[in-house]
Amino acid sequence: MSSLTLDAASAGPHDLDQWQRGCEAACEEALTWPVWKTTASGARVSSGFISGTRIRSMFWVQELPAEKEARVKSLIFPLAEVGRNAPQWDATFQGADVVATDSPLPDGVELVKWRFKASPLSKRDLLYLLAWRPLTSGAAGGIALYPSVESYPDTSVRGETGKRVRAYNMYPSCDRITHLADGRIQICHLITSRLGGCVPDYVYNTAFAPSVRSNYAHEAEAFHTHVLR
């Protein structure tokens, strides 16, 4: 599998292979964080700082029957299916598109423009690579990576659009599916965000953290319900 060189937008490794290895390790670290809330379906929500980072990461983890693995993966990749279903669990979602590039991306990689609400702030846009990959260990499951890019060759998508503000998926940001010994699958959803605009990282880390955690608790429960529907 060929890797991709990343720019500095996500403040992580500049190589997609290294990004993946770091995200897989970050999921293991996040599993050790104190649980802030356990939802009705058993999802655990927490937040913290992955080693070496300065922006608070948000995290939820939950288990589902193994026969739902294909369903879960389809809600993570490709974007076409994600976009049709995201409103069922993400109350901030406003739309998403795959951005065409003149030069083809590797299999399993899409360039995505994602739009979301950040009320009472201005609406936000993300530009990032969506990459689905097998786990580095070779074990069953897989991982979706979401590194933001400042721009991308062969496209004109960059910066702010009208009154919308550019936000970023920072390192680490991923969804990981693993198989447990009891026969279930486990989904780790780990996202590190820079809201951009007038919101410095230290404000997001402190003042914004309670409301973002609450959103993640709602999302985790809604995701569980949607998968089992």
Side-chain angles (χ1 to χ4, degrees), residues 29-30 41 57 65 67 82-83 89 91 105 108-109 116 140 144 163 172 177 179 184 189 193 200 209 212-213 215 223:
E29 183 175 343
S41 66
S57 297
E67 59 266 25
V82 179
W89 65 81
L105 291 167
V109 181
F116 68 98
K163 293 183 179 180
I177 301 173
H179 286 233
R184 296 179 298 167
H189 178 68
S193 300
V212 178
R213 276 195 301 259
N215 287 341
F223 185 87

Side-chain angles (χ1 to χ4, degrees), residues 167-207:
Y168 296 86
N169 289 333
M170 306 300 287
Y171 173 80
S173 293
C174 63
D175 279 301
R176 186 186 70 167
I177 301 173
T178 53
H179 286 233
L180 302 178
D182 64 9
R184 296 179 298 167
I185 59 170
Q186 183 181 76
I187 302 94
C188 291
H189 178 68
L190 177 67
I191 301 294
T192 310
S193 300
R194 174 170 282 161
L195 281 182
C198 64
V199 183
D201 294 339
Y202 74 87
V203 172
Y204 177 82
N205 289 342
T206 53

Side-chain angles (χ1 to χ4, degrees), residues 56-153:
R56 180 181 294 274
S57 297
M58 298 293 166
F59 181 68
W60 59 250
V61 56
Q62 58 181 292
E63 291 73 39
L64 286 160
E67 59 266 25
K68 294 296 183 179
E69 181 175 6
R71 168 72 167 158
V72 171
K73 188 204 166 194
S74 75
L75 301 177
I76 296 172
F77 183 91
L79 182 72
E81 189 68 15
V82 179
R84 282 193 290 269
N85 288 273
Q88 301 301 315
W89 65 81
D90 185 350
T92 71
F93 179 74
Q94 291 189 303
D97 301 289
V98 173
V99 179
T101 61
D102 294 336
S103 301
L105 291 167
D107 290 343
V109 181
E110 297 176 328
L111 179 62
V112 172
K113 186 173 183 182
W114 184 281
R115 300 176 292 281
F116 68 98
K117 295 179 287 186
S119 181
L121 304 174
S122 298
K123 298 168 184 176
R124 258 57 178 174
D125 289 343
L126 293 164
L127 181 66
Y128 63 93
L129 293 171
L130 166 57
W132 174 261
R133 297 181 139 210
L135 298 173
T136 56
S137 66
I143 189 167
L145 309 171
Y146 309 116
S148 274
V149 290
E150 191 62 49
S151 60
Y152 199 81

